[in-house]
Amino acid sequence: MKKISIIVSCYNEEEAIPLFYKELINNLSKMELNYEIIFIDDGSKDKTLEVIQTLRKEDKNIRYISFSRNFGKEAAMIAGLEAVTGDYITFMDADLQDPPALIPVMYNYLKKGYDCVGTRRVTRKGEPKIRSFFARMFYKIINKLSKVEMVDGARDFRLINRRMADAILSMKEYNRYSKGIFSFVGFKTKWLEYENIERVAGKSKWNFWKLFKYAIEGIVGYSTFPLVVSAFIGLFFCLISFIMIIIIVLKTLLYGDPVSGWPSMMCAIFLVGGIQLFVMGVMGSYLSKTYLETKKRPIYIVRLTEEDES
Ligand code: UDP
Ligand code: MG
């Protein structure tokens, strides 16, 4: 019998986990598959780990990895993927925003020959208007800038087969941006759409500023276009200054050189200085990614797993 592995990233989800587990088991029992559920405790500060350990006493198909501190959801996802042994693998949130009822549906598509079934939200109900607006803008921009296609509203909730899992594991980068990684590896993907669901308990770990930084991360990670733009801005200003030099030389030769034009000079200095700093900032953000990448730091550090028991 084939096996399905469920990877659940959890950060302060003590209230949500029992509800999630019940709902998940209800759906898994309908499928003729062995299963393993691996909870990744991403350095939670509440009783998340204890809750998972209690569940494991009842169900030995539950495994867990507990991080030494909070490393972020991306780290949790890759830690889970490295640990699981299933033929089919799915990533889920613990807050029931990813409905377990979809798993059997997704599995049917894999049997039909797809390698991956992804989910996307078609509505952003229950989300602040301003956030939806910026999210849409982000997808417009990134899809113009980047060669890999990122689907608007795509969630991390996916079911993939072993082939695709191995492809993802072969991407060893430190700066992980899973939306980009999934589309980079390609494979035949089926998209399922559903309405946004509010989380059952606890609260979202995202705020506007975090999402903004995440968006920049995506752009820097999956497009070098800002660097090209920087070079063009530089070239454009060289051209302007070249024309200005000719005009000024001619003017001086023809009309002499009365000292004037201080305001316009200051404007030019500020403008060019500002552009230089901006372009350096763009270059710096790529450099900093390279810097982190060359350090080869671990993406996550494990403090405890179910193998440490007994
Ligand atoms: N999460 C995590 N590490 C973090 C932040 C979040 O593992 O540093 C988990 C969290 O427990 C949840 C999932 O990632 O299961 C999605 O987080 P959340 O529900 O806060 O995001 P949202 O659904 O609001 O986008
Ligand atoms: Mg959520």
PDB file of all heavy atoms in Angstrom, residues 190-225:
ATOM      1  N   LYS A 190      -2.163  20.640 -11.349  1.00  0.00           N
ATOM      2  CA  LYS A 190      -3.589  20.915 -11.444  1.00  0.00           C
ATOM      3  C   LYS A 190      -3.947  21.899 -10.331  1.00  0.00           C
ATOM      4  O   LYS A 190      -3.531  21.709  -9.191  1.00  0.00           O
ATOM      5  CB  LYS A 190      -4.362  19.603 -11.265  1.00  0.00           C
ATOM      6  CG  LYS A 190      -5.838  19.755 -11.035  1.00  0.00           C
ATOM      7  CD  LYS A 190      -6.567  20.027 -12.317  1.00  0.00           C
ATOM      8  CE  LYS A 190      -8.009  20.435 -12.019  1.00  0.00           C
ATOM      9  NZ  LYS A 190      -8.689  20.955 -13.217  1.00  0.00           N
ATOM     10  N   TRP A 191      -4.699  22.944 -10.669  1.00  0.00           N
ATOM     11  CA  TRP A 191      -5.074  23.931  -9.642  1.00  0.00           C
ATOM     12  C   TRP A 191      -6.505  23.727  -9.198  1.00  0.00           C
ATOM     13  O   TRP A 191      -7.400  23.634 -10.028  1.00  0.00           O
ATOM     14  CB  TRP A 191      -4.899  25.357 -10.172  1.00  0.00           C
ATOM     15  CG  TRP A 191      -3.466  25.719 -10.313  1.00  0.00           C
ATOM     16  CD1 TRP A 191      -2.728  25.699 -11.463  1.00  0.00           C
ATOM     17  CD2 TRP A 191      -2.573  26.095  -9.265  1.00  0.00           C
ATOM     18  NE1 TRP A 191      -1.428  26.053 -11.183  1.00  0.00           N
ATOM     19  CE2 TRP A 191      -1.307  26.297  -9.851  1.00  0.00           C
ATOM     20  CE3 TRP A 191      -2.722  26.287  -7.883  1.00  0.00           C
ATOM     21  CZ2 TRP A 191      -0.198  26.681  -9.100  1.00  0.00           C
ATOM     22  CZ3 TRP A 191      -1.615  26.666  -7.145  1.00  0.00           C
ATOM     23  CH2 TRP A 191      -0.368  26.859  -7.755  1.00  0.00           C
ATOM     24  N   LEU A 192      -6.713  23.637  -7.903  1.00  0.00           N
ATOM     25  CA  LEU A 192      -8.067  23.582  -7.352  1.00  0.00           C
ATOM     26  C   LEU A 192      -8.355  24.935  -6.710  1.00  0.00           C
ATOM     27  O   LEU A 192      -7.493  25.514  -6.065  1.00  0.00           O
ATOM     28  CB  LEU A 192      -8.176  22.494  -6.278  1.00  0.00           C
ATOM     29  CG  LEU A 192      -7.912  21.056  -6.708  1.00  0.00           C
ATOM     30  CD1 LEU A 192      -8.109  20.138  -5.516  1.00  0.00           C
ATOM     31  CD2 LEU A 192      -8.823  20.652  -7.841  1.00  0.00           C
ATOM     32  N   GLU A 193      -9.577  25.409  -6.894  1.00  0.00           N
ATOM     33  CA  GLU A 193      -9.903  26.719  -6.345  1.00  0.00           C
ATOM     34  C   GLU A 193     -10.872  26.576  -5.187  1.00  0.00           C
ATOM     35  O   GLU A 193     -11.732  25.705  -5.203  1.00  0.00           O
ATOM     36  CB  GLU A 193     -10.512  27.588  -7.432  1.00  0.00           C
ATOM     37  CG  GLU A 193      -9.514  27.837  -8.546  1.00  0.00           C
ATOM     38  CD  GLU A 193     -10.042  28.735  -9.625  1.00  0.00           C
ATOM     39  OE1 GLU A 193     -11.262  28.940  -9.667  1.00  0.00           O
ATOM     40  OE2 GLU A 193      -9.225  29.217 -10.418  1.00  0.00           O
ATOM     41  N   TYR A 194     -10.690  27.407  -4.198  1.00  0.00           N
ATOM     42  CA  TYR A 194     -11.675  27.417  -3.113  1.00  0.00           C
ATOM     43  C   TYR A 194     -11.725  28.780  -2.453  1.00  0.00           C
ATOM     44  O   TYR A 194     -10.836  29.604  -2.613  1.00  0.00           O
ATOM     45  CB  TYR A 194     -11.416  26.299  -2.117  1.00  0.00           C
ATOM     46  CG  TYR A 194     -10.156  26.439  -1.293  1.00  0.00           C
ATOM     47  CD1 TYR A 194     -10.212  26.945   0.002  1.00  0.00           C
ATOM     48  CD2 TYR A 194      -8.933  26.037  -1.790  1.00  0.00           C
ATOM     49  CE1 TYR A 194      -9.071  27.052   0.774  1.00  0.00           C
ATOM     50  CE2 TYR A 194      -7.783  26.151  -1.032  1.00  0.00           C
ATOM     51  CZ  TYR A 194      -7.853  26.654   0.244  1.00  0.00           C
ATOM     52  OH  TYR A 194      -6.733  26.772   1.005  1.00  0.00           O
ATOM     53  N   GLU A 195     -12.813  28.993  -1.721  1.00  0.00           N
ATOM     54  CA  GLU A 195     -13.024  30.274  -1.058  1.00  0.00           C
ATOM     55  C   GLU A 195     -12.164  30.344   0.186  1.00  0.00           C
ATOM     56  O   GLU A 195     -11.928  29.343   0.853  1.00  0.00           O
ATOM     57  CB  GLU A 195     -14.493  30.413  -0.642  1.00  0.00           C
ATOM     58  CG  GLU A 195     -15.459  30.288  -1.775  1.00  0.00           C
ATOM     59  CD  GLU A 195     -16.221  31.584  -2.025  1.00  0.00           C
ATOM     60  OE1 GLU A 195     -16.510  32.283  -1.040  1.00  0.00           O
ATOM     61  OE2 GLU A 195     -16.491  31.886  -3.195  1.00  0.00           O
ATOM     62  N   ASN A 196     -11.719  31.533   0.505  1.00  0.00           N
ATOM     63  CA  ASN A 196     -10.909  31.714   1.701  1.00  0.00           C
ATOM     64  C   ASN A 196     -11.690  31.287   2.946  1.00  0.00           C
ATOM     65  O   ASN A 196     -12.874  31.525   3.070  1.00  0.00           O
ATOM     66  CB  ASN A 196     -10.502  33.183   1.829  1.00  0.00           C
ATOM     67  CG  ASN A 196      -9.434  33.383   2.866  1.00  0.00           C
ATOM     68  OD1 ASN A 196      -8.641  32.475   3.119  1.00  0.00           O
ATOM     69  ND2 ASN A 196      -9.399  34.545   3.481  1.00  0.00           N
ATOM     70  N   ILE A 197     -10.990  30.605   3.857  1.00  0.00           N
ATOM     71  CA  ILE A 197     -11.613  30.153   5.102  1.00  0.00           C
ATOM     72  C   ILE A 197     -10.858  30.814   6.243  1.00  0.00           C
ATOM     73  O   ILE A 197      -9.636  30.896   6.204  1.00  0.00           O
ATOM     74  CB  ILE A 197     -11.488  28.617   5.226  1.00  0.00           C
ATOM     75  CG1 ILE A 197     -12.086  27.940   4.000  1.00  0.00           C
ATOM     76  CG2 ILE A 197     -12.127  28.129   6.506  1.00  0.00           C
ATOM     77  CD1 ILE A 197     -11.659  26.499   3.854  1.00  0.00           C
ATOM     78  N   GLU A 198     -11.573  31.276   7.256  1.00  0.00           N
ATOM     79  CA  GLU A 198     -10.889  31.903   8.387  1.00  0.00           C
ATOM     80  C   GLU A 198     -10.297  30.827   9.301  1.00  0.00           C
ATOM     81  O   GLU A 198     -10.827  29.730   9.390  1.00  0.00           O
ATOM     82  CB  GLU A 198     -11.863  32.786   9.164  1.00  0.00           C
ATOM     83  CG  GLU A 198     -12.661  33.708   8.256  1.00  0.00           C
ATOM     84  CD  GLU A 198     -12.554  35.182   8.623  1.00  0.00           C
ATOM     85  OE1 GLU A 198     -12.038  35.475   9.709  1.00  0.00           O
ATOM     86  OE2 GLU A 198     -12.974  36.009   7.813  1.00  0.00           O
ATOM     87  N   ARG A 199      -9.209  31.165   9.967  1.00  0.00           N
ATOM     88  CA  ARG A 199      -8.558  30.154  10.823  1.00  0.00           C
ATOM     89  C   ARG A 199      -9.452  29.794  12.020  1.00  0.00           C
ATOM     90  O   ARG A 199     -10.198  30.629  12.509  1.00  0.00           O
ATOM     91  CB  ARG A 199      -7.160  30.587  11.247  1.00  0.00           C
ATOM     92  CG  ARG A 199      -7.053  31.898  11.945  1.00  0.00           C
ATOM     93  CD  ARG A 199      -5.777  32.059  12.768  1.00  0.00           C
ATOM     94  NE  ARG A 199      -4.504  31.789  12.132  1.00  0.00           N
ATOM     95  CZ  ARG A 199      -3.648  30.890  12.599  1.00  0.00           C
ATOM     96  NH1 ARG A 199      -3.954  30.164  13.657  1.00  0.00           N
ATOM     97  NH2 ARG A 199      -2.484  30.713  12.018  1.00  0.00           N
ATOM     98  N   VAL A 200      -9.363  28.508  12.489  1.00  0.00           N
ATOM     99  CA  VAL A 200     -10.264  28.044  13.548  1.00  0.00           C
ATOM    100  C   VAL A 200      -9.934  28.634  14.902  1.00  0.00           C
ATOM    101  O   VAL A 200     -10.822  28.893  15.705  1.00  0.00           O
ATOM    102  CB  VAL A 200     -10.249  26.500  13.702  1.00  0.00           C
ATOM    103  CG1 VAL A 200     -11.128  25.867  12.669  1.00  0.00           C
ATOM    104  CG2 VAL A 200      -8.855  25.939  13.713  1.00  0.00           C
ATOM    105  N   ALA A 201      -8.647  28.800  15.190  1.00  0.00           N
ATOM    106  CA  ALA A 201      -8.246  29.288  16.506  1.00  0.00           C
ATOM    107  C   ALA A 201      -6.902  29.977  16.368  1.00  0.00           C
ATOM    108  O   ALA A 201      -6.244  29.866  15.344  1.00  0.00           O
ATOM    109  CB  ALA A 201      -8.135  28.122  17.485  1.00  0.00           C
ATOM    110  N   GLY A 202      -6.503  30.679  17.425  1.00  0.00           N
ATOM    111  CA  GLY A 202      -5.224  31.375  17.380  1.00  0.00           C
ATOM    112  C   GLY A 202      -5.277  32.538  16.405  1.00  0.00           C
ATOM    113  O   GLY A 202      -6.339  32.877  15.898  1.00  0.00           O
ATOM    114  N   LYS A 203      -4.106  33.175  16.153  1.00  0.00           N
ATOM    115  CA  LYS A 203      -4.160  34.275  15.183  1.00  0.00           C
ATOM    116  C   LYS A 203      -3.029  34.199  14.158  1.00  0.00           C
ATOM    117  O   LYS A 203      -2.039  33.504  14.360  1.00  0.00           O
ATOM    118  CB  LYS A 203      -4.203  35.625  15.894  1.00  0.00           C
ATOM    119  CG  LYS A 203      -3.149  35.822  16.968  1.00  0.00           C
ATOM    120  CD  LYS A 203      -3.340  37.227  17.552  1.00  0.00           C
ATOM    121  CE  LYS A 203      -2.216  37.632  18.459  1.00  0.00           C
ATOM    122  NZ  LYS A 203      -2.092  36.926  19.702  1.00  0.00           N
ATOM    123  N   SER A 204      -3.227  34.927  13.064  1.00  0.00           N
ATOM    124  CA  SER A 204      -2.273  34.900  11.957  1.00  0.00           C
ATOM    125  C   SER A 204      -0.923  35.469  12.394  1.00  0.00           C
ATOM    126  O   SER A 204      -0.856  36.389  13.195  1.00  0.00           O
ATOM    127  CB  SER A 204      -2.814  35.717  10.793  1.00  0.00           C
ATOM    128  OG  SER A 204      -1.848  35.783   9.781  1.00  0.00           O
ATOM    129  N   LYS A 205       0.149  34.881  11.864  1.00  0.00           N
ATOM    130  CA  LYS A 205       1.496  35.331  12.229  1.00  0.00           C
ATOM    131  C   LYS A 205       2.024  36.377  11.263  1.00  0.00           C
ATOM    132  O   LYS A 205       3.182  36.755  11.301  1.00  0.00           O
ATOM    133  CB  LYS A 205       2.463  34.134  12.238  1.00  0.00           C
ATOM    134  CG  LYS A 205       2.430  33.330  13.525  1.00  0.00           C
ATOM    135  CD  LYS A 205       1.356  32.271  13.483  1.00  0.00           C
ATOM    136  CE  LYS A 205       1.001  31.791  14.862  1.00  0.00           C
ATOM    137  NZ  LYS A 205      -0.154  30.907  14.850  1.00  0.00           N
ATOM    138  N   TRP A 206       1.167  36.806  10.355  1.00  0.00           N
ATOM    139  CA  TRP A 206       1.618  37.749   9.336  1.00  0.00           C
ATOM    140  C   TRP A 206       1.050  39.123   9.592  1.00  0.00           C
ATOM    141  O   TRP A 206      -0.107  39.273   9.905  1.00  0.00           O
ATOM    142  CB  TRP A 206       1.185  37.276   7.953  1.00  0.00           C
ATOM    143  CG  TRP A 206       1.882  36.037   7.543  1.00  0.00           C
ATOM    144  CD1 TRP A 206       1.468  34.757   7.773  1.00  0.00           C
ATOM    145  CD2 TRP A 206       3.123  35.946   6.863  1.00  0.00           C
ATOM    146  NE1 TRP A 206       2.390  33.882   7.266  1.00  0.00           N
ATOM    147  CE2 TRP A 206       3.402  34.587   6.708  1.00  0.00           C
ATOM    148  CE3 TRP A 206       4.019  36.891   6.370  1.00  0.00           C
ATOM    149  CZ2 TRP A 206       4.564  34.130   6.080  1.00  0.00           C
ATOM    150  CZ3 TRP A 206       5.160  36.435   5.744  1.00  0.00           C
ATOM    151  CH2 TRP A 206       5.435  35.078   5.599  1.00  0.00           C
ATOM    152  N   ASN A 207       1.878  40.133   9.424  1.00  0.00           N
ATOM    153  CA  ASN A 207       1.352  41.491   9.380  1.00  0.00           C
ATOM    154  C   ASN A 207       1.822  42.126   8.080  1.00  0.00           C
ATOM    155  O   ASN A 207       2.549  41.511   7.296  1.00  0.00           O
ATOM    156  CB  ASN A 207       1.797  42.298  10.608  1.00  0.00           C
ATOM    157  CG  ASN A 207       3.310  42.314  10.742  1.00  0.00           C
ATOM    158  OD1 ASN A 207       4.032  42.338   9.745  1.00  0.00           O
ATOM    159  ND2 ASN A 207       3.791  42.287  11.959  1.00  0.00           N
ATOM    160  N   PHE A 208       1.409  43.354   7.861  1.00  0.00           N
ATOM    161  CA  PHE A 208       1.674  43.984   6.572  1.00  0.00           C
ATOM    162  C   PHE A 208       3.172  44.072   6.279  1.00  0.00           C
ATOM    163  O   PHE A 208       3.641  43.764   5.188  1.00  0.00           O
ATOM    164  CB  PHE A 208       1.048  45.374   6.528  1.00  0.00           C
ATOM    165  CG  PHE A 208       1.088  45.955   5.160  1.00  0.00           C
ATOM    166  CD1 PHE A 208       0.147  45.565   4.218  1.00  0.00           C
ATOM    167  CD2 PHE A 208       2.072  46.856   4.800  1.00  0.00           C
ATOM    168  CE1 PHE A 208       0.196  46.070   2.938  1.00  0.00           C
ATOM    169  CE2 PHE A 208       2.127  47.370   3.512  1.00  0.00           C
ATOM    170  CZ  PHE A 208       1.183  46.969   2.578  1.00  0.00           C
ATOM    171  N   TRP A 209       3.940  44.466   7.256  1.00  0.00           N
ATOM    172  CA  TRP A 209       5.370  44.662   7.080  1.00  0.00           C
ATOM    173  C   TRP A 209       6.065  43.333   6.732  1.00  0.00           C
ATOM    174  O   TRP A 209       6.911  43.270   5.838  1.00  0.00           O
ATOM    175  CB  TRP A 209       5.946  45.288   8.357  1.00  0.00           C
ATOM    176  CG  TRP A 209       7.428  45.509   8.333  1.00  0.00           C
ATOM    177  CD1 TRP A 209       8.332  45.037   9.229  1.00  0.00           C
ATOM    178  CD2 TRP A 209       8.176  46.268   7.371  1.00  0.00           C
ATOM    179  NE1 TRP A 209       9.599  45.431   8.879  1.00  0.00           N
ATOM    180  CE2 TRP A 209       9.528  46.191   7.738  1.00  0.00           C
ATOM    181  CE3 TRP A 209       7.838  46.983   6.217  1.00  0.00           C
ATOM    182  CZ2 TRP A 209      10.543  46.802   7.001  1.00  0.00           C
ATOM    183  CZ3 TRP A 209       8.852  47.598   5.495  1.00  0.00           C
ATOM    184  CH2 TRP A 209      10.176  47.506   5.891  1.00  0.00           C
ATOM    185  N   LYS A 210       5.669  42.256   7.416  1.00  0.00           N
ATOM    186  CA  LYS A 210       6.258  40.940   7.138  1.00  0.00           C
ATOM    187  C   LYS A 210       5.944  40.505   5.711  1.00  0.00           C
ATOM    188  O   LYS A 210       6.798  39.950   5.014  1.00  0.00           O
ATOM    189  CB  LYS A 210       5.700  39.904   8.106  1.00  0.00           C
ATOM    190  CG  LYS A 210       6.432  39.834   9.427  1.00  0.00           C
ATOM    191  CD  LYS A 210       6.063  38.513  10.106  1.00  0.00           C
ATOM    192  CE  LYS A 210       6.569  38.470  11.525  1.00  0.00           C
ATOM    193  NZ  LYS A 210       5.859  37.453  12.311  1.00  0.00           N
ATOM    194  N   LEU A 211       4.677  40.771   5.296  1.00  0.00           N
ATOM    195  CA  LEU A 211       4.286  40.383   3.946  1.00  0.00           C
ATOM    196  C   LEU A 211       5.057  41.193   2.904  1.00  0.00           C
ATOM    197  O   LEU A 211       5.457  40.674   1.863  1.00  0.00           O
ATOM    198  CB  LEU A 211       2.784  40.593   3.739  1.00  0.00           C
ATOM    199  CG  LEU A 211       1.896  39.511   4.341  1.00  0.00           C
ATOM    200  CD1 LEU A 211       0.438  39.922   4.264  1.00  0.00           C
ATOM    201  CD2 LEU A 211       2.093  38.189   3.604  1.00  0.00           C
ATOM    202  N   PHE A 212       5.285  42.471   3.226  1.00  0.00           N
ATOM    203  CA  PHE A 212       6.029  43.335   2.305  1.00  0.00           C
ATOM    204  C   PHE A 212       7.446  42.791   2.120  1.00  0.00           C
ATOM    205  O   PHE A 212       7.944  42.646   1.009  1.00  0.00           O
ATOM    206  CB  PHE A 212       6.043  44.767   2.847  1.00  0.00           C
ATOM    207  CG  PHE A 212       6.792  45.719   1.969  1.00  0.00           C
ATOM    208  CD1 PHE A 212       6.231  46.144   0.772  1.00  0.00           C
ATOM    209  CD2 PHE A 212       8.050  46.181   2.325  1.00  0.00           C
ATOM    210  CE1 PHE A 212       6.918  47.009  -0.055  1.00  0.00           C
ATOM    211  CE2 PHE A 212       8.749  47.046   1.500  1.00  0.00           C
ATOM    212  CZ  PHE A 212       8.185  47.469   0.304  1.00  0.00           C
ATOM    213  N   LYS A 213       8.085  42.439   3.244  1.00  0.00           N
ATOM    214  CA  LYS A 213       9.455  41.921   3.160  1.00  0.00           C
ATOM    215  C   LYS A 213       9.487  40.595   2.389  1.00  0.00           C
ATOM    216  O   LYS A 213      10.412  40.325   1.626  1.00  0.00           O
ATOM    217  CB  LYS A 213      10.041  41.734   4.564  1.00  0.00           C
ATOM    218  CG  LYS A 213      10.426  43.053   5.202  1.00  0.00           C
ATOM    219  CD  LYS A 213      11.424  42.863   6.329  1.00  0.00           C
ATOM    220  CE  LYS A 213      10.761  42.220   7.513  1.00  0.00           C
ATOM    221  NZ  LYS A 213      11.557  42.192   8.726  1.00  0.00           N
ATOM    222  N   TYR A 214       8.438  39.804   2.596  1.00  0.00           N
ATOM    223  CA  TYR A 214       8.328  38.515   1.909  1.00  0.00           C
ATOM    224  C   TYR A 214       8.221  38.722   0.390  1.00  0.00           C
ATOM    225  O   TYR A 214       8.811  38.001  -0.402  1.00  0.00           O
ATOM    226  CB  TYR A 214       7.096  37.783   2.444  1.00  0.00           C
ATOM    227  CG  TYR A 214       6.953  36.346   2.015  1.00  0.00           C
ATOM    228  CD1 TYR A 214       7.930  35.410   2.324  1.00  0.00           C
ATOM    229  CD2 TYR A 214       5.827  35.913   1.325  1.00  0.00           C
ATOM    230  CE1 TYR A 214       7.784  34.090   1.951  1.00  0.00           C
ATOM    231  CE2 TYR A 214       5.677  34.602   0.950  1.00  0.00           C
ATOM    232  CZ  TYR A 214       6.659  33.686   1.268  1.00  0.00           C
ATOM    233  OH  TYR A 214       6.505  32.379   0.886  1.00  0.00           O
ATOM    234  N   ALA A 215       7.462  39.777   0.020  1.00  0.00           N
ATOM    235  CA  ALA A 215       7.301  40.090  -1.402  1.00  0.00           C
ATOM    236  C   ALA A 215       8.635  40.501  -2.027  1.00  0.00           C
ATOM    237  O   ALA A 215       9.002  40.043  -3.110  1.00  0.00           O
ATOM    238  CB  ALA A 215       6.272  41.207  -1.572  1.00  0.00           C
ATOM    239  N   ILE A 216       9.384  41.343  -1.321  1.00  0.00           N
ATOM    240  CA  ILE A 216      10.697  41.773  -1.825  1.00  0.00           C
ATOM    241  C   ILE A 216      11.604  40.559  -1.984  1.00  0.00           C
ATOM    242  O   ILE A 216      12.318  40.406  -2.981  1.00  0.00           O
ATOM    243  CB  ILE A 216      11.349  42.787  -0.844  1.00  0.00           C
ATOM    244  CG1 ILE A 216      10.493  44.034  -0.738  1.00  0.00           C
ATOM    245  CG2 ILE A 216      12.768  43.133  -1.278  1.00  0.00           C
ATOM    246  CD1 ILE A 216      10.510  44.939  -1.937  1.00  0.00           C
ATOM    247  N   GLU A 217      11.525  39.660  -0.991  1.00  0.00           N
ATOM    248  CA  GLU A 217      12.298  38.422  -1.028  1.00  0.00           C
ATOM    249  C   GLU A 217      12.027  37.649  -2.330  1.00  0.00           C
ATOM    250  O   GLU A 217      12.934  37.157  -2.994  1.00  0.00           O
ATOM    251  CB  GLU A 217      11.857  37.571   0.154  1.00  0.00           C
ATOM    252  CG  GLU A 217      12.751  36.436   0.446  1.00  0.00           C
ATOM    253  CD  GLU A 217      13.414  36.607   1.796  1.00  0.00           C
ATOM    254  OE1 GLU A 217      13.873  37.706   2.135  1.00  0.00           O
ATOM    255  OE2 GLU A 217      13.456  35.630   2.492  1.00  0.00           O
ATOM    256  N   GLY A 218      10.741  37.572  -2.678  1.00  0.00           N
ATOM    257  CA  GLY A 218      10.339  36.860  -3.893  1.00  0.00           C
ATOM    258  C   GLY A 218      10.920  37.513  -5.135  1.00  0.00           C
ATOM    259  O   GLY A 218      11.412  36.834  -6.035  1.00  0.00           O
ATOM    260  N   ILE A 219      10.860  38.829  -5.178  1.00  0.00           N
ATOM    261  CA  ILE A 219      11.356  39.530  -6.361  1.00  0.00           C
ATOM    262  C   ILE A 219      12.870  39.358  -6.481  1.00  0.00           C
ATOM    263  O   ILE A 219      13.391  38.999  -7.544  1.00  0.00           O
ATOM    264  CB  ILE A 219      10.969  41.026  -6.304  1.00  0.00           C
ATOM    265  CG1 ILE A 219       9.448  41.156  -6.432  1.00  0.00           C
ATOM    266  CG2 ILE A 219      11.648  41.803  -7.430  1.00  0.00           C
ATOM    267  CD1 ILE A 219       8.917  42.547  -6.253  1.00  0.00           C
ATOM    268  N   VAL A 220      13.584  39.576  -5.386  1.00  0.00           N
ATOM    269  CA  VAL A 220      15.047  39.460  -5.431  1.00  0.00           C
ATOM    270  C   VAL A 220      15.467  38.015  -5.730  1.00  0.00           C
ATOM    271  O   VAL A 220      16.423  37.774  -6.445  1.00  0.00           O
ATOM    272  CB  VAL A 220      15.670  39.951  -4.104  1.00  0.00           C
ATOM    273  CG1 VAL A 220      17.163  39.718  -4.081  1.00  0.00           C
ATOM    274  CG2 VAL A 220      15.387  41.427  -3.915  1.00  0.00           C
ATOM    275  N   GLY A 221      14.700  37.069  -5.187  1.00  0.00           N
ATOM    276  CA  GLY A 221      15.057  35.659  -5.368  1.00  0.00           C
ATOM    277  C   GLY A 221      14.785  35.133  -6.764  1.00  0.00           C
ATOM    278  O   GLY A 221      15.442  34.217  -7.226  1.00  0.00           O
ATOM    279  N   TYR A 222      13.776  35.675  -7.430  1.00  0.00           N
ATOM    280  CA  TYR A 222      13.364  35.088  -8.697  1.00  0.00           C
ATOM    281  C   TYR A 222      13.419  36.018  -9.895  1.00  0.00           C
ATOM    282  O   TYR A 222      12.862  35.721 -10.945  1.00  0.00           O
ATOM    283  CB  TYR A 222      11.977  34.440  -8.554  1.00  0.00           C
ATOM    284  CG  TYR A 222      12.163  33.117  -7.883  1.00  0.00           C
ATOM    285  CD1 TYR A 222      12.213  33.016  -6.508  1.00  0.00           C
ATOM    286  CD2 TYR A 222      12.433  31.980  -8.638  1.00  0.00           C
ATOM    287  CE1 TYR A 222      12.495  31.817  -5.886  1.00  0.00           C
ATOM    288  CE2 TYR A 222      12.706  30.786  -8.035  1.00  0.00           C
ATOM    289  CZ  TYR A 222      12.733  30.712  -6.667  1.00  0.00           C
ATOM    290  OH  TYR A 222      13.035  29.525  -6.064  1.00  0.00           O
ATOM    291  N   SER A 223      14.098  37.144  -9.749  1.00  0.00           N
ATOM    292  CA  SER A 223      14.251  38.026 -10.897  1.00  0.00           C
ATOM    293  C   SER A 223      15.506  38.866 -10.724  1.00  0.00           C
ATOM    294  O   SER A 223      15.795  39.337  -9.627  1.00  0.00           O
ATOM    295  CB  SER A 223      13.043  38.940 -11.016  1.00  0.00           C
ATOM    296  OG  SER A 223      13.315  39.966 -11.933  1.00  0.00           O
ATOM    297  N   THR A 224      16.258  39.040 -11.799  1.00  0.00           N
ATOM    298  CA  THR A 224      17.400  39.952 -11.736  1.00  0.00           C
ATOM    299  C   THR A 224      17.074  41.226 -12.507  1.00  0.00           C
ATOM    300  O   THR A 224      17.939  42.046 -12.756  1.00  0.00           O
ATOM    301  CB  THR A 224      18.664  39.299 -12.324  1.00  0.00           C
ATOM    302  OG1 THR A 224      18.321  38.723 -13.581  1.00  0.00           O
ATOM    303  CG2 THR A 224      19.224  38.237 -11.419  1.00  0.00           C
ATOM    304  N   PHE A 225      15.800  41.381 -12.844  1.00  0.00           N
ATOM    305  CA  PHE A 225      15.391  42.526 -13.644  1.00  0.00           C
ATOM    306  C   PHE A 225      15.699  43.878 -12.976  1.00  0.00           C
ATOM    307  O   PHE A 225      16.141  44.803 -13.656  1.00  0.00           O
ATOM    308  CB  PHE A 225      13.901  42.415 -13.995  1.00  0.00           C
ATOM    309  CG  PHE A 225      13.473  43.377 -15.043  1.00  0.00           C
ATOM    310  CD1 PHE A 225      13.935  43.243 -16.345  1.00  0.00           C
ATOM    311  CD2 PHE A 225      12.636  44.442 -14.744  1.00  0.00           C
ATOM    312  CE1 PHE A 225      13.556  44.144 -17.322  1.00  0.00           C
ATOM    313  CE2 PHE A 225      12.255  45.348 -15.712  1.00  0.00           C
ATOM    314  CZ  PHE A 225      12.719  45.199 -17.007  1.00  0.00           C
TER     315      PHE A 225
END
